[in-house]
Amino acid sequence: MPWILFLMHYILIFPHTDASFLDQWSFDQLQELLNRSEGDPRVKQLLMQDNVVIFLHLLGCDSNGHAHRPYSSIYLNNVRVVDRIAEGVYNLLEGYFKDNQTAYIFTADHGMSDKGSHGDGHPTNTDTPLVAWGAGVKHPKQLSHSSHLDTGFRFVDEHMHNMPTPIEWGLSSIERVDVNQADIAPLMSTLLGLPCPVNSVGNLPLGYINLSEADGVEAVLANTKQVLNQFLRKSQMKQSNSLHFKPFKPLENYSSVLDQIEDLISIKNYDSAMELSLNLRSLSLEGLHYFQTYDWLMLMTTVTLGYIGWMIYVIIHVLQSYTSLPENLYRKKNQAFHLKKDNTKVYLFGCLLMVILCILLLVEHSPPLYHVYVTMTVFLWTQIFSEYPFLKVLWEQLSGRKFNCAVTLIASCAMSIFILEFLVNSFTERKLYTLCFLILGVVAAFYLFYFVPGKSVLPFFIWMSCWFLSIFTLMPAEIPDNTNLVVASGAMIILIGVAGRWFYLSNKKSKYWLEILSYNKQIPRLPNLFYLQAILVALSSIMVSLSTFHRTQKQELLALHQLINWSVAGFSMVLPLFSPTDLLARLTSICLGFAPAFLLLSIGYEAVFYSALSLVLVAWILFEFSVFCLGKVNISSNSVRSAEDRVIFEYDERCLQLSDLRVPLTFMVLFNVAFFGTGNFASIASFEISSVYRFITVFNPFLMAALLVFKLFIPFMLVICAFSAITKLVRIPRSGCYFLVILFSDAMTIHFFFLVRNTGSWMEIGNSISHFGIMSAQVVFVLLLFALTNIYTKDIQIGSPQASSRKAM
């Protein structure tokens, strides 16, 4: 009567408790079941039948490893607990059945790094124990040499596996059989004498099973047929639905190969039969992958054309709606700008093509998503071709422009592509941002130094701000605990607020800063608002220290502390709505308003990152304002410009120009710095979950995840608030800049689309998918944050020293 005992662990994190009691609970439940069967004939009958699997789930090591790290005393004690339970289970079952017919398999789902994380391709995370003993299991085999040779395979992550057995284990003379985790399923099935699971893609590890040569060949052949049947089913389904079927040619004569194997077995030529079986199984796995990716080319082409069509459509929309280009083009062509276009033929052809493609997909029984991809792609390209008159006139004008204009356009596009490619590579190499801000600080400072005379402090401030921010992407993604740094960053945020208020009060009568410091003479709704916000920031720093002290002392967080933390974080985020509507005063209030919540969710250097990011955002605003003022001076001094161009420039919202690409591109850089400045957002595991313990101490995965994501949102909201303020300050349409952000995000998305992989480690596959998912969702994600931050920025007022001249115009 074959039996299997399967032990593993699962992810579950408890902040303060020792999770080894969970393992003991599992063992007690098994013992109780066996004891209860002595008085319950029905349970006894179930246990005594053939082919029974007992699945013992031990999760203590996993929970303690994540919560307390693998080298902690709690974790090492849990290892001893598991050892005792394994011995106890063996003695319990052998004493219960007394037939020596039970097989045992001991394994796990993943390993763990020294920090208690897992997922990447390192052997410490991917190599897991597999120990089998009992009925049907082969006895250990002695090696003829003293060490385990490095003859094993390498995974696609390029990390070496099958490493030598540690000498201190005392097993160097024993042959070790390394397998993939998928191979455990056919191993268990064979030990039970049952067919392999239908969808299993594992290879039967004969090194674990005590079989004769003939039985071994039969077992491998059964495993081969199980994989081959999956291939045949996939092939049959695709052939029955495809109008033009392309078979997997290496397996066209699979039936003759099966007959040949059977003939070799009948004449007891087991070596040749085994070789053919293994080769057929390998080809079956390749064929299975072939049909799993059968529609790859069609889907890649459709999705790529869809993204390209969407980007072209966005460009056309921005040119027509937010620039002066259409009016100038049609004026030069002596055509009416609002001339109705006859696009009937274009739309009819588009609809006809859409119907034909959908009918073909229906005939092939394609999934509904295929119809969505094709429909959207055809729709977008139909919209593009409907703009043919505009595109024709645009091309004629561009081809007739001077060489300098063409060079400027090409250089702007090349620089945009370079920045976007830089951002794509930054998803895997955070340190690129360090180089970026080191260079950016110097370039911006020297630009202002030479072109904006008399403001010598401003270039130095921008330089130092960028260099300060460049430090953080050199920091480890796994943030170490440093409560003193969090408390000190609270003081730093207060100093930044004091500096902003001093600048606001001391320069409110300056003509140069009038548009930023449009001083409102009305009595503020909360005259002492700044001091209240500073007190809340200080209080949050104190609560960080108190809450951390209780956690380090293994004490539960007091209910009063939780109430204060929730109240301070929530109340402080409402206060910016009552701040003055001047640009600098409102942004300073927003910075102070979100600071308490961010501090209470911080555990280390990311709290200082908040201050550094705030300084860079202020530097960005001041830089754009200086460039804006310089542009006005150049226009006013240029007598060649027409009065019409000056009127457009002086209105509250001017048309977009090619140089305005700088604003959305800078936004993209800063928005991504908010992603990667304090960790690797693409891997949520890189952010310490202990940062939420100041708000909640009971395990609640949804609330914990919500708090963690909210913490990540705060830097994004600061960036978007600054972006909205800049669009008002330089008088460009925010919606037009948002469409440019969409365009840049889609350009990055299509790159990530080609980087998605389905091989490698769990983290490599997951990161490639999450990178694509993050950029795909960024369009909607940024829009939602725009709507949210608009509550804070819609009242911002921009002063203008030329209000009277604008009225005259």
Side-chain angles (χ1 to χ4, degrees):
M1 181 173 57
W3 287 79
I4 296 293
L5 179 63
F6 185 54
L7 298 92
M8 63 169 293
H9 52 79
Y10 188 74
I11 300 174
L12 187 61
I13 299 176
F14 290 84
H16 305 297
T17 58
D18 182 358
S20 60
F21 74 93
L22 298 171
D23 297 340
Q24 188 63 47
W25 181 87
S26 297
F27 176 74
D28 293 341
Q29 294 300 306
L30 174 62
Q31 192 171 25
E32 181 183 348
L33 175 67
L34 297 181
N35 293 335
R36 183 156 52 91
S37 67
E38 299 298 338
D40 190 335
R42 182 174 175 274
V43 176
K44 184 76 171 180
Q45 181 182 4
L46 291 174
L47 288 173
M48 298 304 294
Q49 63 183 345
D50 291 338
N51 303 327
V52 173
V53 177
I54 298 178
F55 186 92
L56 192 61
H57 185 183
L58 305 178
L59 53 82
C61 284
D62 184 74
S63 300
N64 283 326
H66 287 298
H68 305 288
R69 310 295 167 82
Y71 288 101
S72 64
S73 59
I74 293 178
Y75 178 83
L76 296 176
N77 176 71
N78 204 148
V79 173
R80 287 190 287 268
V81 171
V82 171
D83 287 343
R84 289 197 301 267
I85 290 176
E87 181 182 7
V89 168
Y90 174 78
N91 293 331
L92 185 65
L93 293 182
E94 291 300 320
Y96 182 83
F97 295 106
K98 300 176 182 179
D99 57 2
N100 294 323
Q101 291 298 309
T102 304
Y104 303 85
I105 294 181
F106 184 100
T107 188
D109 59 344
H110 63 77
M112 191 174 293
S113 69
D114 294 347
K115 295 291 185 179
S117 62
H118 64 86
D120 62 18
H122 196 273
T124 59
N125 301 340
T126 57
D127 289 351
T128 55
L130 175 58
V131 182
W133 72 96
V137 179
K138 185 181 294 185
H139 291 288
K141 183 180 179 181
Q142 296 291 326
L143 285 176
S144 57
H145 42 79
S146 59
S147 62
H148 190 79
L149 297 178
D150 179 20
T151 57
F153 57 86
R154 291 174 182 264
F155 281 26
V156 291
D157 54 24
E158 293 302 322
H159 287 296
M160 185 170 59
H161 294 249
N162 199 17
M163 295 292 289
T165 303
I167 298 176
E168 59 269 20
W169 288 8
L171 300 174
S172 300
S173 61
I174 302 298
E175 181 180 2
R176 199 181 71 208
V177 181
D178 293 348
V179 301
N180 288 317
Q181 285 188 335
D183 301 340
I184 299 176
L187 171 62
M188 294 174 62
S189 301
T190 304
L191 288 173
L192 285 167
L194 296 175
C196 295
V198 174
N199 296 315
S200 171
V201 291
N203 297 322
L204 176 65
L206 282 178
Y208 280 89
I209 308 175
N210 186 20
L211 293 174
S212 63
E213 189 176 12
D215 292 336
V217 173
E218 292 287 354
V220 171
L221 181 59
N223 181 208
T224 300
K225 289 181 178 179
Q226 173 261 327
V227 178
L228 178 63
N229 284 331
Q230 291 185 72
F231 160 79
L232 294 175
R233 179 57 180 163
K234 288 282 187 181
S235 176
Q236 180 186 3
M237 292 172 59
K238 185 56 64 177
Q239 184 175 9
S240 62
N241 297 329
S242 297
L243 296 176
H244 180 63
F245 177 70
K246 296 180 179 179
F248 184 68
K249 293 184 179 180
L251 282 178
E252 286 182 326
N253 60 339
Y254 72 92
S255 58
S256 61
V257 176
L258 286 176
D259 293 338
Q260 186 177 358
I261 294 173
E262 296 289 352
D263 293 339
L264 290 172
I265 293 176
S266 64
I267 61 175
K268 298 183 179 182
N269 189 351
Y270 298 125
D271 291 337
S272 299
M274 178 69 74
E275 182 179 354
L276 283 178
S277 297
L278 294 175
N279 183 60
L280 182 59
R281 184 176 64 185
S282 177
L283 289 176
S284 299
L285 289 172
E286 292 179 16
L288 192 59
H289 180 265
Y290 171 79
F291 284 111
Q292 288 172 342
T293 58
Y294 188 83
D295 297 323
W296 179 86
L297 181 60
M298 184 273 290
L299 289 176
M300 292 286 287
T301 304
T302 303
V303 174
T304 302
L305 288 176
Y307 271 109
I308 294 175
W310 169 247
M311 289 190 288
I312 295 175
Y313 182 73
V314 170
I315 293 174
I316 294 174
H317 175 71
V318 171
L319 291 176
Q320 290 182 337
S321 303
Y322 301 103
T323 69
S324 59
L325 184 62
E327 189 173 352
N328 294 334
L329 289 179
Y330 282 94
R331 188 191 304 122
K332 292 178 181 178
K333 285 291 182 178
N334 297 320
Q335 299 177 16
F337 181 66
H338 295 290
L339 185 65
K340 292 184 179 180
K341 299 171 288 187
D342 185 11
N343 296 319
T344 305
K345 293 182 179 179
V346 176
Y347 287 125
L348 284 176
F349 178 79
C351 291
L352 180 62
L353 179 61
M354 192 181 300
V355 170
I356 292 174
L357 293 177
C358 287
I359 291 175
L360 292 176
L361 292 175
L362 283 172
V363 171
E364 293 193 347
H365 296 86
S366 298
L369 277 179
Y370 287 22
H371 295 263
V372 176
Y373 297 151
V374 170
T375 301
M376 289 302 301
T377 300
V378 174
F379 171 78
L380 288 170
W381 282 97
T382 301
Q383 292 296 114
I384 292 171
F385 283 110
S386 69
E387 300 292 342
Y388 174 76
F390 171 75
L391 295 174
K392 181 180 178 182
V393 175
L394 177 63
W395 173 254
E396 292 175 355
Q397 290 300 313
L398 290 177
S399 59
R401 287 289 184 94
K402 296 180 179 179
F403 178 75
N404 293 340
C405 296
V407 171
T408 303
L409 179 61
I410 294 173
S412 299
C413 294
M415 180 57 66
S416 300
I417 294 174
F418 173 79
I419 293 175
L420 295 178
E421 287 301 308
F422 163 84
L423 293 177
V424 168
N425 287 279
S426 70
F427 271 65
T428 54
E429 188 56 58
R430 295 170 59 233
K431 295 179 181 178
L432 289 175
Y433 287 109
T434 299
L435 179 63
C436 170
F437 280 96
L438 289 176
I439 298 174
L440 194 62
V442 175
V443 172
F446 275 93
Y447 178 85
L448 293 184
F449 183 78
Y450 282 106
F451 291 99
V452 185
K455 302 294 178 185
S456 58
V457 178
L458 180 58
F460 180 76
F461 171 73
I462 293 176
W463 189 344
M464 291 297 101
S465 299
C466 291
W467 279 29
F468 184 29
L469 186 63
S470 68
I471 298 173
F472 293 91
T473 46
L474 295 175
M475 300 290 189
E478 295 178 347
I479 303 174
D481 293 348
N482 193 330
T483 305
N484 294 331
L485 195 59
V486 178
V487 175
S489 65
M492 189 182 303
I493 293 171
I494 295 176
L495 289 176
I496 293 174
V498 171
R501 183 163 179 80
W502 171 83
F503 184 82
Y504 171 69
L505 295 176
S506 61
N507 293 279
K508 62 185 180 183
K509 295 182 180 180
S510 171
K511 293 183 179 180
Y512 185 82
W513 301 113
L514 182 60
E515 296 184 59
I516 292 180
L517 307 174
S518 54
Y519 185 66
N520 192 346
K521 296 182 179 180
Q522 295 180 356
I523 299 176
R525 286 172 282 184
L526 292 177
N528 297 320
L529 176 63
F530 171 78
Y531 303 104
L532 176 59
Q533 289 187 297
I535 291 173
L536 289 176
V537 173
L539 180 59
S540 64
S541 299
I542 295 173
M543 294 307 301
V544 166
S545 181
L546 288 176
S547 302
T548 305
F549 175 78
H550 277 270
R551 184 164 62 89
T552 55
Q553 296 299 318
K554 307 297 181 182
Q555 298 176 4
E556 290 292 333
L557 186 63
L558 298 179
L560 178 62
H561 288 178
Q562 288 182 270
L563 179 62
I564 293 175
N565 291 342
W566 281 102
S567 301
V568 169
F571 182 62
S572 63
M573 289 187 292
V574 179
L575 293 179
L577 299 175
F578 301 95
S579 63
T581 56
D582 311 274
L583 185 147
L584 185 60
R586 176 56 64 90
L587 291 181
T588 302
S589 181
I590 291 173
C591 176
L592 292 174
F594 285 107
F598 195 83
L599 289 175
L600 289 168
L601 288 168
S602 299
I603 63 170
Y605 72 81
E606 79 272 31
V608 186
F609 171 79
Y610 184 91
S611 301
L613 181 63
S614 301
L615 290 174
V616 168
L617 293 177
V618 173
W620 182 30
I621 294 172
L622 298 179
F623 177 83
E624 291 294 342
F625 173 71
S626 300
V627 173
F628 173 69
C629 292
L630 183 64
K632 290 200 298 184
V633 171
N634 292 336
I635 286 183
S636 62
S637 62
N638 190 352
S639 58
V640 179
R641 291 293 186 106
S642 65
E644 294 177 355
D645 293 332
R646 290 198 294 272
V647 170
I648 292 174
F649 194 90
E650 294 297 339
Y651 280 151
D652 285 340
E653 218 176 62
R654 61 180 175 85
C655 294
L656 286 174
Q657 301 172 356
L658 187 61
S659 60
D660 293 324
L661 285 174
R662 178 185 66 255
V663 176
L665 282 172
T666 306
F667 169 80
M668 291 289 293
V669 173
L670 291 173
F671 195 82
N672 281 274
V673 166
F675 270 104
F676 298 107
T678 58
N680 179 7
F681 183 82
S683 175
I684 199 73
S686 68
F687 294 95
E688 286 284 351
I689 198 171
S690 59
S691 61
V692 305
Y693 291 164
R694 300 182 186 114
F695 290 92
I696 181 174
T697 57
V698 179
F699 182 77
N700 188 330
F702 297 105
L703 182 56
M704 286 179 170
L707 288 171
L708 188 60
V709 171
F710 175 71
K711 173 190 174 183
L712 303 176
F713 277 8
I714 292 177
F716 304 154
M717 297 175 71
L718 292 182
V719 175
I720 292 178
C721 286
F723 176 75
S724 301
I726 287 174
T727 57
K728 286 191 174 185
L729 185 64
V730 300
R731 294 176 173 81
I732 55 177
R734 190 176 71 162
S735 55
C737 287
Y738 171 68
F739 278 111
L740 290 176
V741 170
I742 291 178
L743 175 64
F744 297 146
S745 298
D746 286 330
M748 293 176 63
T749 302
I750 196 171
H751 190 143
F752 282 123
F753 177 67
F754 286 97
L755 295 179
V756 173
R757 55 189 300 180
N758 58 0
T759 58
S761 67
W762 171 76
M763 183 169 284
E764 290 169 334
I765 297 173
N767 282 353
S768 69
I769 296 173
S770 62
H771 292 166
F772 173 70
I774 287 170
M775 292 310 305
S776 299
Q778 184 168 297
V779 175
V780 179
F781 172 66
V782 173
L783 179 61
L784 294 176
L785 287 181
F786 266 124
L788 182 60
T789 55
N790 190 55
I791 300 174
Y792 296 95
T793 60
K794 65 180 179 181
D795 297 331
I796 291 180
Q797 295 180 2
I798 304 297
S800 176
Q802 295 150 347
S804 58
S805 64
R806 197 162 56 240
K807 288 182 180 179
M809 289 180 188

